Amino acid sequence: MPATPGPPPPQRHAAVAIIAAGAVLAGWLAAGPLPADQAIALALAIFSIGLWASSALPEYLTALCFFLLAILLKVAPPTVIFSGFNSSTFWLLFSGLITGAAVRHTALDQRWANSLAALMSQRYGSVIGTIVAFSVALSFVLPSSIGRAVLLIPIITSLAGRLGYAPGSNGRTGMLLATALGTHIPAFTILPANVPNMLMAGTAETLYGYAPTYTQYLLLHFPVLGMLKSLVLAGLILWLFPAGPAHPDGQIRRARTSPTPPQRRLMIALALCLAFWMTDSLHHIAPAWISMAAGTYFLWPGSGLTSKRCINEEINMGSLLFIGGVMGLGAIVAATGLGGALVEAAGTYVGLGDGAAWQKVAMLGGIGTLVALFTTLPGVPAIMTPLAASLSDTTGLPIATVLMSQVLAFSNVILPYQSPPLLVAIQLGKIDLRAATRICLALAAVTLLVLTPLDLLWWHLLGWI
């Protein structure tokens, strides 16, 4: 993905200087109350997050600056700093980029896009609504957010062209954002469909013997944070990225032809991937390694599924550096103990022991949201689940309620860098990071002001608070 265009050089330099100065000041002020490694981690987090959020520098360059500063400042061991490159998410992105290249090389994206476009109304609202609905439905059968993005983004990219929405247009941007967020955000309310969900559930069972059931989790979270939030997402996309009716090209109306041999081989491989992804609870092979096996086959000489220049020219290494940097930052915040310190400080500041039950749940969600800004979304259950017993004692809430309050936090993406799967979708779809930031901020605002109160009311009706 090309770097997101930033401000002109003078403004860019000024923005970098201001963000760097703010990070140094924050680290200096925190050096008293916090240990040295936590103060440095805080300064690094503010510096990196500020640059990623503002696009003052290309995303990959910010990642390189983060790696260099983290090593020079010795804030954590190299194994922690570069742990993002060891994560399955990193390799799922890498193999996803290969899969996308194979889909484009064989023109399978165009074939599927034609089939999907023939079923759609030409109204832009119908297009966005159909994409969001299909993305949510796929979350019930495919447990990997990145897997869903890898499958759908190439199809929707080609579909946008078939419907007459040119690169850079609101129509194409809206369709790709509907896919990127639709495959990810509502899935936080479906227990096996996202990593933070499963991390929270698995750790809670290990530490406290509490394991939420699929139906219990779905009933508590899906009606408001899943279904209603999907409707809000579609509405915000139509508002922020308005576009006229689609104008399908002539290829959509052509008679169907048989798949070419490369397309047939690719479809069989993708069907096998989907089958293994859907049955991971049986064979326990992570989605990343399933995808890597497929990517290796796609690159195999003689397969005819990718071009000879795929690795050297068609795989964007900047995307991989970006993901590695984001995940490395989260690892540093967790390893230094900064995440736990943030939870304790925020809990003391807001007075977690005071107020009604719904206020305590709202405050826990707010604290988790703050943690997610520094550690990315998977950091919320990693940090807050071990603290759940202490938070339960402080608030007087049942431990199950404390645990479920995390969903209020890790389902609310304020900025794209917080969510590795969302970043993968952005990279695969070559979505302008500023456009993704706009929709994330708007959705987060509606979530905090409207959906969270409605969700707390729903919890009350179910007897949880």
Side-chain angles (χ1 to χ4, degrees), residues 28 49 78 146 155 216 218 244 293 337 407 462:
W28 179 70
I49 292 169
I146 299 181
I155 299 173
Q216 179 189 56
L218 187 73
V407 183
L462 293 178

Side-chain angles (χ1 to χ4, degrees), residues 5 89 121 131 134 146 151 156 158 160 173 203 217 241 258 438:
T89 298
S121 164
I131 291 174
F134 184 76
I146 299 181
L151 283 178
I156 300 304
S158 182
T173 299
T203 307
Y217 190 92
F241 304 97
S258 299
R438 287 176 62 198

Side-chain angles (χ1 to χ4, degrees), residues 151-225:
L151 283 178
L152 283 187
I153 287 291
I155 299 173
I156 300 304
T157 301
S158 182
L159 175 60
R162 291 285 179 266
L163 295 180
Y165 296 120
S169 66
N170 274 356
R172 180 179 293 245
T173 299
M175 291 175 66
L176 289 171
L177 287 173
T179 308
L181 277 75
T183 56
H184 184 50
I185 302 297
F188 287 113
T189 65
I190 305 166
L191 187 57
N194 269 344
V195 170
N197 315 5
M198 296 305 295
L199 181 58
M200 182 271 292
T203 307
E205 184 175 14
T206 300
L207 296 179
Y208 311 112
Y210 172 73
T213 65
Y214 181 96
T215 303
Q216 179 189 56
Y217 190 92
L218 187 73
L219 179 62
L220 184 62
H221 300 298
F222 184 75
V224 177
L225 297 181

Side-chain angles (χ1 to χ4, degrees), residues 201-291:
T203 307
E205 184 175 14
T206 300
L207 296 179
Y208 311 112
Y210 172 73
T213 65
Y214 181 96
T215 303
Q216 179 189 56
Y217 190 92
L218 187 73
L219 179 62
L220 184 62
H221 300 298
F222 184 75
V224 177
L225 297 181
M227 182 171 60
L228 188 54
K229 197 168 189 175
S230 299
L231 297 175
V232 171
L233 170 62
L236 287 174
I237 289 174
L238 295 176
W239 176 51
L240 293 174
F241 304 97
H247 298 286
D249 62 21
Q251 297 185 46
I252 291 177
R253 308 186 187 282
R254 292 179 183 175
R256 287 178 175 269
T257 58
S258 299
T260 64
Q263 288 177 343
R264 191 175 293 111
R265 292 197 300 273
L266 183 55
M267 285 191 290
I268 292 172
L270 291 177
L272 288 172
C273 281
L274 182 59
F276 275 96
W277 282 333
M278 293 175 63
T279 57
D280 63 344
S281 61
L282 299 177
H283 53 68
H284 305 294
I285 302 175
W289 315 133
I290 297 168
S291 190

Side-chain angles (χ1 to χ4, degrees), residues 446-464:
V446 174
T447 298
L448 291 173
L449 297 176
V450 180
L451 297 182
T452 297
L454 288 176
D455 198 43
L456 294 176
L457 176 61
W458 178 246
W459 283 37
H460 175 71
L461 293 175
L462 293 178
W464 277 75

